[in-house]
Amino acid sequence: MKITNAYVNITSPGRNFVTLKVETDEGIYGLGDGTLNGRELAVASYLTEHVIPCLLGRDPFQTEDIWQYLYRGAYWRRGPVTMAAIAAVDVALWDIKGKALNTPVYNLLGGKSREGVMVYGHANGKDIEQALDDVARHTEMGFKAVRVQSGFAGLASTYGVAKGAGRYEPAERGLPTENEWSSELYLRHVPKLFRRVREAFGEDLHLLHDCHHRLTPIEAGRLGKELEPFRLFWMEDPTPAELQEGFRVIREHTTTPIAVGEVFNSVWDCHDLIRNQWIDYLRMTLVHGGGFTHIKKTADFAALYHVRTGFHGATDLSPVTMAAALHFDLAIHNFGIQELMPHSVETDAVFPHNYTFKDGLMHPGDAPGLGVDLDETLAAKYPYQRAYLPINRKLDGTLTDW
Ligand code: EZ4
Ligand code: CO
């Protein structure tokens, strides 16, 4: 089998998605996601100008060799743009393999290790009462695990909370909006939020929380300690992770499990975090972490240190990544949990898919390959629109991590 053609599709059914379609001489094609929130066209150009010409004529079954060719062969390694582009190729090739062998991709990754994939939803509200209502809504939908975020007095808006009545969607069209931030107010608020949630929903519901890179290590240690009575499933991205040894400080102060890494793109971003057992869950996922070929190696390395996966699954990861992640989650031994932020109706229509949700678990379906498609006619109705994530300033105006 040979790769005969490949091209990038950019569509914006509510938000931007970059999809690579790889075609072969046997009529089978594969899809890969290359979406990098707020930097979409950089990956599209990387693929079109620098990657696709190198793919033509190659055997799509050679995923290892092609991965190494694109990684080592570029000379310039790692980074979100490069790794998202490599991931788009890698995932598309695994889709082709599955279709060619007439089997779902999970069978190529070890086969089923579980009946379904536990997912967590996002409950949020402008204040604690609204957040409690939203947790109730999620439990009624069947979720066994819920991430809880709420606004608090002193800040006009914050990360993780929907602005109006609609769904929470962090990227906004146009230039970046500005949020404001106060760690002092936040640290006072979060233990109150989780005391109420635990009281209202009892012991069984898994509770998660995302600090979204905003604390210093010692602040995160304090928060983790104060949250221990409420037994969180995890505390996510407590501090920016360029300084991996910062997590040692957190670990010294709390037994609240730590998840990190939705912005990672290589095992080298988490090598120290894993081998020192400073984290419990790894969030680097397929699209930003080099596809199946690299994520499998990273997850196997993490397994040696009791670290489980907890893949990023926000709306900026397209349904192609959602499908790919569910195949991976179903197959590997050290799966932990999968994030689910449902896509808009428009996005789901552009990417028809076989994955399903029932009783808090998802399943990738049993169609050959990934079981996800791209309706290019419909996609063409939603042209790219510039969109960015917000930026964040402290109350005195200092720019800080969002
Ligand atoms: O803000 O995906 O845990 N989920 C998250 C996400 C991120 C967006 C950024 O692209 O933190 O909602
Ligand atoms: Co997050």
Side-chain angles (χ1 to χ4, degrees):
M1 195 186 279
K2 285 205 179 335
I3 297 170
T4 49
N5 188 32
Y7 57 93
V8 173
N9 177 283
I10 306 173
T11 181
S12 193
R15 52 153 312 110
N16 295 317
F17 296 107
V18 172
T19 310
L20 178 70
K21 185 164 181 177
V22 179
E23 297 173 337
T24 66
D25 57 352
E26 295 187 17
I28 292 172
Y29 64 86
L31 296 177
D33 179 20
T35 307
L36 185 61
N37 207 351
R39 297 293 184 270
E40 296 88 354
L41 300 186
V43 182
S45 160
Y46 192 110
L47 283 165
T48 303
E49 303 298 332
H50 305 298
V51 171
I52 289 173
C54 306
L55 295 178
L56 305 179
R58 289 179 190 277
D59 176 355
F61 271 80
Q62 291 182 317
T63 46
E64 183 67 35
D65 185 67
I66 291 173
W67 196 93
Q68 301 296 344
Y69 182 95
L70 295 174
Y71 183 80
R72 292 173 205 285
Y75 188 65
W76 310 106
R77 299 182 187 193
R78 303 166 57 184
V81 175
T82 297
M83 296 303 273
I86 295 177
V89 174
D90 188 76
V91 170
L93 299 187
W94 282 86
D95 189 22
I96 291 171
K97 282 196 212 199
K99 288 175 179 168
L101 297 170
N102 195 31
T103 194
V105 168
Y106 67 74
N107 274 338
L108 307 178
L109 299 167
K112 270 201 267 187
S113 286
R114 51 194 57 79
E115 291 307 317
V117 169
M118 182 165 73
V119 292
Y120 69 91
H122 284 206
N124 65 80
K126 290 201 177 1
D127 54 27
I128 292 179
E129 300 308 323
Q130 283 191 17
L132 291 173
D133 288 347
D134 209 25
V135 177
R137 194 173 64 85
H138 279 83
T139 57
E140 281 154 24
M141 285 189 279
F143 280 97
K144 300 178 194 307
V146 185
R147 184 185 98 156
V148 193
Q149 313 286 140
S150 99
F152 47 90
L155 292 191
S157 65
T158 187
Y159 162 76
V161 179
K163 279 199 178 147
R167 331 159 35 253
Y168 170 63
E169 174 56 69
E172 288 179 28
R173 286 176 172 164
L175 297 178
T177 56
E178 300 206 1
N179 288 175
E180 52 184 17
W181 183 248
S182 162
S183 291
E184 291 80 0
L185 298 176
Y186 169 78
L187 286 167
R188 262 185 249 164
H189 161 75
V190 182
K192 292 179 196 155
L193 170 66
F194 280 92
R195 176 177 302 281
R196 293 287 307 282
V197 179
R198 211 26 117 197
E199 277 169 10
F201 295 93
E203 295 296 320
D204 289 341
L205 187 64
H206 294 302
L207 302 178
L208 298 82
H209 181 71
D210 193 349
C211 305
H212 222 265
H213 328 268
R214 284 155 188 226
L215 301 175
T216 63
I218 198 67
E219 287 170 342
R222 171 183 146 202
L223 180 60
K225 193 188 275 185
E226 290 182 14
L227 291 174
E228 280 169 22
F230 317 119
R231 287 180 303 286
L232 264 56
F233 187 95
W234 80 32
M235 179 168 87
E236 176 180 337
D237 286 332
T239 193
E242 290 96 329
L243 180 71
Q244 295 186 42
E245 67 212 59
F247 284 72
R248 183 209 329 247
V249 177
I250 303 174
R251 230 13 172 197
E252 280 168 356
H253 293 283
T254 181
T255 57
T256 294
I258 304 297
V260 69
E262 66 186 45
V263 300
F264 292 176
N265 53 71
S266 159
V267 68
W268 301 110
D269 291 332
C270 45
H271 179 239
D272 291 337
L273 291 173
I274 292 169
R275 71 186 179 89
N276 289 302
Q277 303 180 61
W278 289 332
I279 62 168
D280 301 279
Y281 296 93
L282 184 62
R283 289 185 49 69
M284 181 171 83
T285 187
L286 289 128
V287 52
H288 303 134
F292 288 112
T293 297
H294 190 64
I295 284 284
K296 181 70 166 76
K297 292 174 188 180
T298 307
D300 287 344
F301 170 63
L304 302 178
Y305 296 89
H306 302 284
V307 175
R308 286 180 280 170
T309 62
F311 282 174
H312 192 200
T315 40
D316 44 311
L317 287 71
S318 92
V320 176
T321 287
M322 194 66 206
L326 291 170
H327 284 275
F328 195 85
D329 296 338
L330 197 69
I332 62 160
H333 181 249
N334 58 324
F335 165 73
I337 198 166
Q338 168 70 48
E339 182 177 24
L340 168 64
M341 245 176 114
H343 289 108
S344 67
V345 176
E346 293 78 12
T347 298
D348 281 339
V350 169
F351 295 93
H353 51 262
N354 282 288
Y355 55 78
T356 50
F357 171 93
K358 189 167 175 270
D359 298 332
L361 304 182
M362 288 186 77
H363 195 285
D366 300 312
L370 295 174
V372 61
D373 213 339
L374 171 66
D375 182 335
E376 292 177 68
T377 312
L378 194 54
K381 295 193 175 141
Y382 303 105
Y384 166 80
Q385 297 193 35
R386 178 176 287 114
Y388 287 105
L389 292 167
I391 62 114
N392 210 15
R393 291 187 190 277
K394 295 183 187 175
L395 296 179
D396 72 355
T398 309
L399 198 103
T400 187
D401 301 283
W402 180 74

